[in-house]
Amino acid sequence: MARRIIIAGNWKMHKTPAETLRLLNGLKVRAVNISNVEMVVCPTFVSLTIAAEALKDSRIVLGAQNMFWETEGAYTGEISAPMLKDAGCTYVILGHSERRQYFGETDETVNKRMHRALAEGLKPIMCIGETLQEREDNRMFEVLERQVTGGLAGISAGQMADVVLAYEPVWAIGTGKTATPEQADEAHAYIRGLIAKAYGDTVASAIRIQYGGSVKPGNAAELLSKDNIDGALVGGASLDAESFIAIIKAAE
Ligand code: PEP
């Protein structure tokens, strides 16, 4: 089954609002002829509104990098799903390994965010992936199973149509080390198998699983040529219009 490739840029804590506009302008002119790849950019919260405005006349869609699970209240420093929707977001990244590593997020808190995002009409990109230690201890499959099961607990088969998964081995994020296409495909096939077990073959064959971890113009085509790799979540290389578009073109 042909799944529409989705390439998302996770800008992390980079780019001021003015820099965001400059990068978006660079992306927009280069993306005009691209129609068969879904393109997503995820700037910081303070740039979302101006990014939404700037992207109105383009095929690039907007995502956020995180959100809290309550809709409003006394939660200083947090941002809610309705706020992201109102700001123009279609997607939201949830459970990124940096959130898990530095901000104490767990499968349980990721799951609460997943429920809220879907209830409010946001499409979550749920990140999972093992650390180097876990891979070396042969615990990769166990960790992926725990993250998939925990993060998706209580999510229905119908809701899965709006879910994107991102397999991001922690040892490959921002390190310049990329999983080989075979390593990535093996993990993706395993994740798809977990989805099949939980939701059946139709949901499993439709769900898009992105690879993330030092994706660059030079390795994107080979990774994306694998059967189970349906896109990429790109950090560093998404901060430059030329290299992000080169990755998107590799996906075409
Ligand atoms: C990421 O942060 O999701 C990521 C994959 O980063 P990088 O591409 O820089 O490794």
Side-chain angles (χ1 to χ4, degrees):
M1 179 188 184
R3 294 175 288 264
R4 190 165 185 234
I5 296 284
I6 174 169
I7 307 288
N10 173 15
W11 293 5
K12 311 195 185 191
M13 199 173 70
H14 293 287
K15 308 282 178 193
T16 63
E19 290 165 344
T20 294
L21 282 185
R22 278 200 290 277
L23 178 50
L24 290 179
N25 287 335
L27 289 173
K28 276 164 54 180
V29 291
R30 290 169 176 83
V32 275
N33 293 321
I34 296 167
S35 57
N36 58 351
V37 175
E38 190 169 2
M39 301 174 278
V40 185
V41 289
C42 304
T44 66
F45 292 139
V46 293
S47 294
L48 289 175
T49 312
I50 54 155
E53 187 61 35
L55 292 175
K56 262 187 184 152
D57 55 351
S58 91
R59 289 201 183 93
I60 302 170
V61 301
L62 193 61
Q65 298 174 20
N66 188 30
M67 49 156 261
F68 190 47
W69 59 80
E70 295 293 347
T71 52
E72 65 174 359
Y75 304 104
T76 303
E78 291 298 328
I79 192 148
S80 73
M83 292 170 190
L84 295 183
K85 275 293 280 185
D86 192 65
C89 290
T90 303
Y91 285 94
V92 60
I93 298 171
L94 295 178
H96 190 279
S97 64
E98 287 152 15
R99 300 295 318 171
R100 295 177 190 254
Q101 192 179 345
Y102 305 130
F103 303 98
E105 291 196 19
T106 62
D107 295 325
E108 199 186 347
T109 62
V110 171
N111 180 248
K112 289 186 181 190
R113 289 175 164 83
M114 289 289 292
H115 280 277
R116 178 60 68 191
L118 289 163
E120 302 294 335
L122 283 168
K123 298 180 180 185
I125 298 176
M126 188 181 95
C127 303
I128 54 177
E130 81 287 357
T131 62
L132 185 59
Q133 192 60 55
E134 288 162 345
R135 178 171 274 261
E136 285 175 352
D137 293 346
N138 284 323
R139 292 179 50 225
M140 175 181 94
F141 294 122
E142 170 198 326
V143 169
L144 292 177
E145 180 168 16
R146 192 200 70 223
Q147 292 175 334
V148 168
T149 311
L152 296 178
I155 304 293
S156 71
Q159 287 176 309
M160 288 298 284
D162 286 330
V163 173
V164 175
L165 296 176
Y167 169 63
E168 300 205 301
V170 180
W171 48 274
I173 296 180
T175 58
K177 286 185 198 154
T178 318
T180 63
E182 291 70 31
Q183 283 175 322
D185 198 51
E186 179 191 31
H188 283 226
Y190 178 73
I191 295 162
R192 203 176 297 285
L194 293 173
I195 301 299
K197 229 191 289 172
Y199 296 101
D201 289 341
T202 308
V203 171
S205 63
I207 192 155
R208 293 179 298 174
I209 309 175
Q210 297 176 306
Y211 169 77
S214 300
V215 176
K216 298 183 191 67
N219 59 22
E222 214 190 338
L223 285 159
L224 292 164
S225 70
K226 291 290 177 192
D227 278 356
N228 283 296
I229 303 182
D230 310 309
L233 182 54
V234 186
S238 71
L239 296 171
D240 172 79
E242 290 283 349
S243 65
F244 191 53
I245 292 293
I247 291 168
I248 291 166
K249 289 200 165 148
E252 277 194 299

Coordinates of all heavy atoms in Angstrom, one line a residue, residues 10 12 96 98 168 172-174 212-215 233-236, ligand 1:
N10 N 12.1 19.5 12.7 CA 12.0 19.8 14.1 C 13.1 20.9 14.3 O 14.2 20.5 14.4 CB 12.2 18.6 14.9 CG 12.3 18.9 16.4 OD1 11.9 20.0 16.9 ND2 12.8 17.9 17.2
K12 N 13.6 22.6 16.9 CA 14.0 22.6 18.3 C 14.1 24.0 18.8 O 13.3 24.9 18.4 CB 15.4 21.9 18.5 CG 15.4 20.5 17.8 CD 16.6 19.7 18.2 CE 16.5 18.4 17.4 NZ 17.5 17.4 17.9
H96 N 9.3 13.5 22.1 CA 10.7 13.5 21.6 C 11.7 13.1 22.6 O 11.5 13.4 23.8 CB 11.0 14.9 21.1 CG 12.2 15.0 20.3 ND1 13.5 15.0 20.9 CD2 12.4 15.0 18.9 CE1 14.4 15.1 19.9 NE2 13.8 15.0 18.7
E98 N 14.4 14.2 23.5 CA 14.9 15.3 24.4 C 13.9 15.7 25.5 O 14.3 16.1 26.6 CB 15.3 16.5 23.5 CG 16.5 16.2 22.7 CD 16.6 16.9 21.3 OE1 15.9 17.9 21.1 OE2 17.5 16.5 20.5
E168 N 13.2 7.2 16.3 CA 14.4 8.0 16.4 C 15.3 7.3 17.4 O 15.2 7.5 18.6 CB 14.0 9.4 16.9 CG 13.1 10.1 16.0 CD 13.3 11.6 16.1 OE1 13.1 12.2 17.2 OE2 13.6 12.2 15.1
A172 N 21.4 8.3 17.5 CA 21.6 8.9 16.2 C 21.1 10.3 16.1 O 21.2 11.0 15.1 CB 20.8 8.0 15.1
I173 N 20.5 10.8 17.2 CA 20.0 12.2 17.1 C 21.0 13.2 17.4 O 21.7 13.2 18.5 CB 18.8 12.4 18.1 CG1 17.7 11.4 17.7 CG2 18.3 13.8 18.2 CD1 16.5 11.5 18.6
G174 N 21.3 14.1 16.4 CA 22.2 15.2 16.6 C 23.7 14.7 16.7 O 24.6 15.5 17.1
G212 N 14.1 9.2 12.2 CA 14.8 10.4 12.6 C 16.1 10.1 13.2 O 16.2 9.1 14.0
G213 N 17.1 10.9 12.9 CA 18.4 10.7 13.5 C 19.5 11.0 12.5 O 19.8 10.1 11.6
S214 N 19.9 12.2 12.4 CA 21.0 12.7 11.5 C 20.6 12.4 10.1 O 21.5 12.0 9.3 CB 22.3 12.0 11.9 OG 22.7 12.4 13.2
V215 N 19.3 12.6 9.7 CA 19.0 12.5 8.3 C 19.5 13.8 7.6 O 19.4 14.9 8.1 CB 17.4 12.4 8.1 CG1 17.1 12.5 6.6 CG2 16.9 11.2 8.7
L233 N 11.9 12.6 10.2 CA 11.8 13.7 11.2 C 13.2 14.2 11.2 O 14.1 13.5 11.6 CB 11.3 13.2 12.5 CG 11.1 14.3 13.6 CD1 10.2 15.5 13.1 CD2 10.5 13.7 14.9
V234 N 13.4 15.5 10.8 CA 14.7 16.0 10.6 C 15.0 17.1 11.6 O 14.2 18.1 11.7 CB 14.8 16.6 9.1 CG1 16.3 17.0 8.8 CG2 14.3 15.5 8.1
G235 N 16.1 17.1 12.3 CA 16.5 18.1 13.2 C 17.4 19.1 12.5 O 17.0 20.0 11.7
G236 N 18.7 18.9 12.7 CA 19.8 19.9 12.2 C 19.6 20.2 10.8 O 19.7 21.4 10.4
Ligands
PEP1 C1 15.4 15.2 15.9 O1 15.6 16.0 16.7 O2 14.2 14.7 15.8 C2 16.5 14.7 15.0 C3 16.3 13.6 14.3 O3 17.6 15.5 15.0 P1 18.8 15.4 14.0 O4 18.3 15.2 12.6 O5 19.6 16.6 14.2 O6 19.6 14.1 14.4

